[in-house]
Amino acid sequence: MIKIYDRKEISIDEILERSEQTIDVEGIVQDIIKNVKENGDKALVEYCKKFDGAKDDVIEVTAEEMDEAIKEVDDELLNILREAKENITAFHSKQVRNSFVINDKEGVIIGQKVIPIEKVGLYVPGGTASYPSSVLMNCVPAKIAGCSEIVMVTPAKEGKVKSVILAAAKIAGVDRVFKIGGAQAVAALAYGTESVPKVDKIVGPGNAFVAEAKKQVFGMVDIDMIAGPSEILVVADSTNNPAHIAADLLSQAEHDKMATAVLITDSMAFAESVSAELEKQIPLLPREEIARCSIDTNGKIIVTDNLVEAMDVSNILAPEHLEICVDNPFEYLGYVKNAGSVFLGKNCPEALGDYFAGPNHTLPTSGTARFSSPLSVDDFVKKTQFSYFSREALCSVADKVVRFANEEGLQAHGKSVSIRTETEK
């Protein structure tokens, strides 16, 4: 049963408490990465057979498999995927940054170029569930950014990737798909193998082994974030239907036994009603065991004196998903300091963002919304700056640069300027 706390009786440490991964994955992942680096495709095939039940040595999805997948998915779902892509595209297109040039001083031109990252790898989970939504969320901003090659990796059961995943990849514009998952897939993208191209950045969520692998290869390649278990925090007053709020909490609890679902409300009676509703709904879920463990282990209901205080508690938690379920949600949007994605009002459950609304669903977790952001077009570009000075412009600032360099004890820096401005003899 979910725990109910009065805000006056719960410490910040208790508010922040999240269950931690108990499996020591660091050493296991190190060995997997080492094996893939040294043995390439051979190691990948062995892992596919061991973990995914692969029947052959083929690790790349063929064009024929992609075409067949489209045929196997019903037209209604294909149209939903296409419409979701349109919504995601419309939102992310607004994030495009432009290069700029500044030329407001005589003889000086400075600026910045925004350049797409050339090769990116998308990790799409496929363990306890499959996520075509993650294909769209990861690929669309990369396409908008202009990445020249988009490679996707995803686990395949008995050598077959679910048709809806491949259909989403084709709709989104993925260039190549590989039937590999886990830390081995991350290693393959980071270092390259005979079949898998080495990429410049890896994005996408995964389990603890995937997260650890991304952490270990960072520096060899860039990564988006170290994603932890799913989280939802709902701020709701007593005018809500308790069944609706319970359903929202369970929408994340069903993801993972380590997922976190929190309700903050200003009504103890409402808190108790939601708790009772959870007990009704959990046994009806196909993923009952997962949801039950999440709610019992990490679930919390915190009762505050008012909703402004509730927003303060929310900012302490810095949740991945934040729902503000009140009649006047925009009045509270200004209080949000730390959250991955915010869902406003009583008719905007977090699931809208998972699939269809348009904003990205790859979000900072474990309190990292204090300093990081959702996946965006920015994640798929890099910036290069440039400067030009005429001789006259250089001469006008040379003494200042030389003084600066000498102050830092770097006389050769200063000399590289003064040697150009000395009067020729």
Side-chain angles (χ1 to χ4, degrees):
M1 180 173 287
I2 197 166
K3 304 175 187 70
I4 300 178
Y5 301 89
D6 187 306
R7 174 64 184 96
K8 300 180 185 66
E9 299 172 355
I10 183 172
S11 68
I12 289 178
D13 287 342
E14 289 175 305
I15 290 172
L16 290 171
E17 185 180 359
R18 293 171 167 97
S19 66
E20 297 182 358
Q21 177 70 44
T22 55
I23 303 172
D24 181 14
V25 301
E26 183 177 354
I28 296 171
V29 169
Q30 284 178 342
D31 291 341
I32 291 172
I33 292 174
K34 182 174 184 291
N35 190 14
V36 173
K37 284 175 64 177
E38 293 177 354
N39 298 299
D41 282 357
K42 180 182 176 183
L44 294 178
V45 169
E46 289 174 352
Y47 287 127
C48 287
K49 291 180 177 178
K50 178 180 179 180
F51 296 123
D52 302 325
K55 305 299 183 184
D56 55 40
D57 296 352
V58 179
I59 59 174
E60 184 168 6
V61 175
T62 64
E64 290 76 19
E65 286 178 289
M66 295 289 284
D67 291 338
E68 188 61 32
I70 288 284
K71 295 176 185 176
E72 290 176 357
V73 178
D74 67 81
D75 289 342
E76 181 185 19
L77 182 53
L78 287 175
N79 288 332
I80 291 171
L81 291 172
R82 293 186 181 108
E83 189 174 351
K85 180 195 172 186
E86 291 176 4
N87 295 340
I88 297 164
T89 300
F91 179 84
H92 289 79
S93 293
K94 297 294 185 181
Q95 298 173 339
V96 175
R97 291 177 180 265
N98 295 316
S99 301
F100 63 83
V101 175
I102 300 173
N103 185 18
D104 56 2
K105 294 180 180 178
E106 184 69 29
V108 178
I109 302 172
I110 57 176
Q112 177 176 278
K113 285 185 67 177
V114 179
I115 306 168
I117 294 173
E118 289 188 25
K119 296 182 179 181
V120 296
L122 316 180
Y123 189 94
V124 176
T128 60
S130 61
Y131 302 100
S133 56
S134 290
V135 179
L136 300 178
M137 294 291 181
N138 286 304
C139 185
V140 169
K143 295 292 286 188
I144 292 171
C147 300
S148 57
E149 185 172 9
I150 300 173
V151 180
M152 187 178 102
V153 294
T154 189
K157 292 188 177 179
E158 297 183 349
K160 184 174 175 58
V161 179
K162 286 191 174 182
S163 296
V164 68
I165 295 291
L166 296 183
K170 192 169 181 68
I171 288 169
V174 173
D175 295 304
R176 300 176 70 182
V177 180
F178 290 89
K179 310 173 187 180
I180 49 176
Q184 58 271 24
V186 174
L189 291 172
Y191 295 97
T193 70
E194 299 90 334
S195 298
V196 182
K198 181 183 184 300
V199 301
D200 303 308
K201 184 162 188 173
I202 301 171
V203 305
N207 62 18
F209 293 92
V210 172
E212 177 63 28
K214 288 170 69 177
K215 181 179 178 181
Q216 290 189 25
V217 302
F218 176 62
M220 175 59 62
V221 293
D222 191 17
I223 60 172
D224 53 347
M225 63 186 78
I226 306 295
S230 297
E231 303 168 346
I232 187 169
L233 189 155
V234 180
V235 172
D237 59 22
S238 60
T239 65
N240 283 271
N241 185 329
H244 295 178
I245 303 305
D248 291 354
L249 296 173
L250 292 173
S251 72
Q252 293 307 293
E254 73 172 352
H255 262 300
D256 190 309
K257 291 181 178 180
M258 293 173 61
T260 299
V262 177
L263 165 65
I264 309 178
T265 181
D266 57 354
S267 167
M268 180 60 76
F270 183 70
E272 291 170 348
S273 296
V274 172
S275 176
E277 188 62 39
L278 284 168
E279 295 308 307
K280 293 178 184 177
Q281 292 188 28
I282 289 174
L284 305 177
L285 295 174
R287 295 166 69 87
E288 174 189 359
E289 181 184 358
I290 294 172
R292 168 56 68 190
C293 184
S294 168
I295 291 296
D296 289 355
T297 305
N298 294 324
K300 295 184 183 74
I301 300 178
I302 301 172
V303 181
T304 58
D305 288 338
N306 54 65
L307 292 187
V308 172
E309 185 183 10
M311 296 305 301
D312 290 339
V313 177
S314 173
N315 286 322
I316 292 170
L317 273 162
E320 178 187 16
H321 306 99
L322 169 62
E323 290 186 8
I324 303 178
C325 295
V326 296
D327 289 327
N328 51 341
F330 287 97
E331 291 186 16
Y332 293 91
L333 183 58
Y335 290 100
V336 177
K337 295 178 181 178
N338 305 318
S341 193
V342 184
F343 304 86
L344 298 167
K346 297 178 179 179
N347 300 302
C348 191
E350 180 275 330
L352 278 171
D354 271 350
Y355 302 115
F356 206 71
N360 211 282
H361 80 193
T362 301
L363 304 168
T365 62
S366 305
T368 59
R370 292 178 294 108
F371 53 79
S372 57
S373 307
L375 190 73
S376 72
V377 173
D378 285 344
D379 287 289
F380 297 98
V381 298
K382 56 186 178 179
K383 293 93 175 177
T384 295
Q385 57 196 27
F386 58 86
S387 306
Y388 165 82
F389 276 62
S390 67
R391 189 175 191 282
E392 293 76 11
L394 175 63
C395 289
S396 71
V397 299
D399 291 345
K400 298 172 184 176
V401 177
V402 171
R403 172 62 197 276
F404 217 140
N406 289 340
E407 184 67 27
E408 294 191 348
L410 299 173
Q411 282 72 24
H413 279 62
K415 184 66 174 178
S416 72
V417 172
S418 63
I419 199 171
R420 287 174 163 78
T421 59
E422 292 170 352
T423 303
E424 294 183 7
K425 296 179 180 180

